[in-house]
Amino acid sequence: MQCSISGDVPVEPVVNAKSGLLYEKRLIERFIDDTGKCPVTGETLTTDDLVPIKMGKIVKPRTVQTASIPGMLGMFQNEWDGLMLSNFALEQQLHTARQELSHALYQHDAACRVIARLKKERDEARALLSQSDRQIPMSAAAAGATNASAVANGKRAAEDDDLAPPGKKLRPGISADIITELTECNAALSQQRKRRQIPATLASIEDLGRYTQLSSHPLHKTNKPGVTSIDIQHSKDFIATGGVDSTAVIFDRSSGQIRSTLSGHSKKVTSVNFVADGGTFLTGSADKTVRIWQESEDGNYDCRHILKDHTAEVQAVTVHATNNYFVTASLDNTWCFYDLSSGSCLAQVAADTDSSNLVGYTAAAFHPDGLILGTGTSEAIVKIWDVKSQANVAKFEGHVGPVTAISFSENGYFLATAAHDSVKLWDLRKLKNFRTLNLYDGDAPTNSVVFDHSGSYLGVAGSDIRVFQVASVKADWNCIKTLPDLSGTGKATCVRFGPDAKYLAVGSMDRNLRIFGLPEEDVEPPQPEA
């Protein structure tokens, strides 16, 4: 029995009492609601004319598809396709799970290696500390009487403050008296700058254009070549170099002799700085320490203080204009303000303390007036700090790669910064970049940039050495001289101007200090006094 509308076996069969036709109940009721007639005879029909029929529970007959071999093959094909799709999804899930497991295993292995290396370094540091304590006995009374006792050969016994957990040391801060001293120094230097005149003894542009290599001095070891930093003490014409061989060398240019070799750091020396004329010398190193050296009566330099306030490589050391304080910058994302006489850290300033990505400082320099500090980061950002409040007052962006060097001009208005991509010049009055010097290709970063003491010339070191004439914001900064990197490494790492720009001191990734200046036949003899 089949429904007269659908042709299928009805689930709830009813019969039209007038015509005797069989229907599915839900279909005929819907048709009556719409038309009120029988779908076959067309006669008027109501639901009262429908008589339900009771049927026994029987198995439904197979459909036409399952009643033939082609229909069954189609059903089997559909089931096989569904099974293959399910199997493919399972394989994808298994592959993803294997990748996640492999990544987790690699991470676990790397973490175990890092932990093992840190444990080894900790044990070595403890052994060195224990050995230092045995070699340099120091009484408790003497340790309490002085903050940093001087020890022969540049070594110092470890102090209780050094053993404190990093980041938890209490710093006294920059006191009101120090701020007053810094402010008075700033006022005096600013007043002098207004009356500043370019000295008559300054090397001319024509002289700089004739500069050539005068001498080359092998100051560092051959097994670890590389000069990383240079500084010049103008009053004595001493040149200091820091090397990859973990030593700093004081060179007397007038005599052409090495005056002193300073050993003590365990890794490369990253920054060297003379302190005025007092015979004090500073070195920063990748071994996370800063050393303060003092010239002795015999001309050698003895280590007076070893500063261990940083937890990563010290990248820069810069001396304040008062010559009583200095700042160190490190890859641990902090810079420290020190008192030079005592070697004590007065303030340790950390930036972005809430950030999990500690980028670290790669360069630092004081403004000539002393109340502004410039720092460069490994994330290509230049930050300007107010020293009195230790607040970040300005931020310069635009470089690509870590900032390698910072230099303020003596006129107080210009800031030059170097990074992997270029040299950028900033106007501190408007806090804007007014010129970009794209000097080298992508494989040759700019390693050093420095103004001479008069603020008339700008030196740049990269794959070669270039000297620019300092101009105004709108005028062109012309390249006066280009000197090749004669080391053969293609990496001039640092450059400094001698007194009155009479010569250039250049360091490269070999072990030599090179002096560039006028050839002897071009040097004018001194004029006799009238």
Side-chain angles (χ1 to χ4, degrees):
M1 298 173 63
Q2 296 177 340
C3 174
S4 299
I5 297 176
S6 64
D8 294 333
V9 178
V11 177
E12 294 183 74
V14 294
V15 175
N16 185 350
K18 296 180 178 180
S19 62
L21 296 174
L22 181 69
Y23 300 100
E24 175 68 51
K25 182 179 180 180
R26 59 183 176 81
L27 296 179
I28 190 62
E29 287 181 348
R30 184 181 302 173
F31 191 86
I32 292 173
D33 291 340
D34 293 340
T35 62
K37 296 181 180 181
C38 176
V40 177
T41 62
E43 298 177 351
T44 302
L45 185 66
T46 64
T47 55
D48 295 334
D49 298 329
L50 300 177
V51 179
I53 300 176
K54 301 295 183 180
M55 295 180 62
K57 299 294 183 181
I58 60 174
V59 178
K60 294 182 180 181
R62 291 184 179 182
T63 62
V64 177
Q65 287 183 331
T66 59
S68 62
I69 293 178
M72 295 180 65
L73 291 176
M75 290 178 57
F76 293 155
Q77 183 65 47
N78 292 336
E79 290 183 2
W80 175 260
D81 292 343
L83 180 62
M84 290 300 100
L85 290 174
S86 176
N87 187 40
F88 177 76
L90 289 175
E91 287 182 352
Q92 281 188 321
Q93 293 178 0
L94 176 61
H95 181 67
T96 303
R98 284 179 175 176
Q99 285 184 326
E100 293 176 350
L101 177 60
S102 176
H103 183 67
L105 290 175
Y106 277 119
Q107 284 186 325
H108 176 72
D109 181 69
C112 291
R113 291 176 181 273
V114 171
I115 293 172
R117 178 175 57 82
L118 292 177
K119 285 184 176 180
K120 181 180 178 181
E121 292 179 355
R122 180 201 62 187
D123 295 338
E124 291 176 353
R126 286 179 175 176
L128 290 174
L129 181 62
S130 176
Q131 182 180 1
S132 176
D133 288 336
R134 290 194 301 267
Q135 292 178 352
I136 310 171
M138 182 176 182
S139 64
T146 177
N147 183 46
S149 60
V151 181
N153 298 328
K155 296 182 180 180
R156 188 189 69 175
E159 300 174 353
D160 293 339
D161 184 64
D162 294 332
L163 300 178
K168 296 184 179 180
K169 300 176 184 178
L170 296 178
R171 308 298 184 194
I174 302 177
S175 65
D177 293 339
I178 297 177
I179 292 177
T180 301
E181 182 182 0
L182 300 182
T183 305
E184 292 176 351
C185 176
N186 172 265
L189 292 176
S190 299
Q191 190 64 26
Q192 292 177 9
R193 182 167 292 105
K194 294 179 181 179
R195 302 190 300 267
R196 183 179 66 93
Q197 294 182 354
I198 297 177
T201 55
L202 181 68
S204 65
I205 297 176
E206 292 75 14
D207 290 343
L208 283 166
R210 298 197 301 271
Y211 276 11
T212 185
Q213 179 173 312
L214 301 180
S215 60
S216 177
H217 308 278
L219 304 183
H220 293 274
K221 299 177 182 178
T222 56
N223 59 340
K224 291 183 178 181
V227 177
T228 59
S229 178
I230 287 179
D231 195 27
I232 299 177
Q233 190 173 28
H234 289 196
S235 60
K236 299 180 180 179
D237 209 9
F238 289 173
I239 303 176
T241 62
V244 179
D245 60 357
S246 309
T247 64
V249 177
I250 309 295
F251 176 75
D252 187 349
R253 193 185 76 90
S254 59
S255 65
Q257 300 295 323
I258 294 177
R259 186 173 181 85
S260 182
T261 299
L262 285 58
S263 302
H265 287 292
S266 59
K267 294 184 179 180
K268 67 178 180 180
V269 176
T270 56
S271 182
V272 294
N273 277 92
F274 285 107
V275 181
D277 303 328
T280 306
F281 183 67
L282 305 175
T283 57
S285 171
D287 64 6
K288 309 175 187 178
T289 68
V290 178
R291 290 178 179 247
I292 302 178
W293 309 79
Q294 185 65 45
E295 186 178 10
S296 58
E297 295 180 356
D298 58 1
N300 292 321
Y301 285 78
D302 298 326
C303 182
R304 298 303 183 191
H305 302 289
I306 303 177
L307 313 177
K308 304 178 181 179
D309 298 282
H310 289 293
T311 58
E313 292 186 13
V314 177
Q315 291 287 298
V317 179
T318 178
V319 181
H320 189 266
T322 59
N323 295 312
N324 295 327
Y325 311 99
F326 67 95
V327 162
T328 61
S330 169
L331 290 179
D332 64 4
N333 201 41
T334 67
W335 59 267
C336 293
F337 186 90
Y338 287 94
D339 177 76
L340 183 62
S341 59
S342 64
S344 58
C345 180
L346 302 180
Q348 186 168 13
V349 182
D352 302 329
T353 54
D354 296 334
S355 176
S356 59
N357 183 21
L358 301 181
V359 295
Y361 294 110
T362 54
F366 269 115
H367 187 273
D369 290 344
L371 288 184
I372 295 177
L373 175 71
T375 59
T377 71
S378 57
E379 290 297 314
I381 298 175
V382 179
K383 296 183 178 181
I384 305 298
W385 302 82
D386 180 3
V387 178
K388 294 188 296 183
S389 62
Q390 299 97 62
N392 182 202
V393 295
K395 183 185 295 185
F396 298 147
E397 299 179 351
H399 274 300
V400 176
V403 178
T404 54
I406 288 178
S407 180
F408 288 94
S409 173
E410 189 64 24
N411 66 10
Y413 303 143
F414 297 152
L415 169 65
T417 59
H420 190 281
D421 57 337
S422 61
V423 172
K424 290 185 178 292
L425 301 171
W426 310 85
D427 187 348
L428 297 177
R429 295 165 294 186
K430 298 183 179 179
L431 301 179
K432 292 177 62 177
N433 170 229
F434 66 89
R435 192 169 305 280
T436 298
L437 305 176
N438 295 309
L439 307 178
Y440 308 112
D441 56 27
D443 297 330
T446 307
N447 297 315
S448 179
V449 62
V450 63
F451 287 98
D452 79 305
H453 189 264
S454 69
S456 301
Y457 303 116
L458 178 70
V460 179
S463 59
D464 55 25
I465 304 95
R466 304 188 188 188
V467 180
F468 291 83
Q469 181 185 9
V470 174
S472 63
V473 172
K474 296 182 179 180
D476 292 335
W477 293 45
N478 298 319
C479 182
I480 302 170
K481 182 66 175 179
T482 300
L483 299 166
D485 176 31
L486 300 177
S487 67
T489 62
K491 294 180 180 179
T493 56
C494 42
V495 59
R496 290 293 183 274
F497 289 93
D500 292 329
K502 294 295 185 183
Y503 65 86
L504 288 173
V506 177
S508 302
M509 285 309 294
D510 63 351
R511 66 192 189 108
N512 293 327
L513 166 69
R514 289 179 171 81
I515 309 296
F516 293 85
L518 279 177
E520 293 183 1
E521 59 270 15
D522 291 345
V523 178
E524 296 182 1
Q527 298 296 328
E529 296 182 0

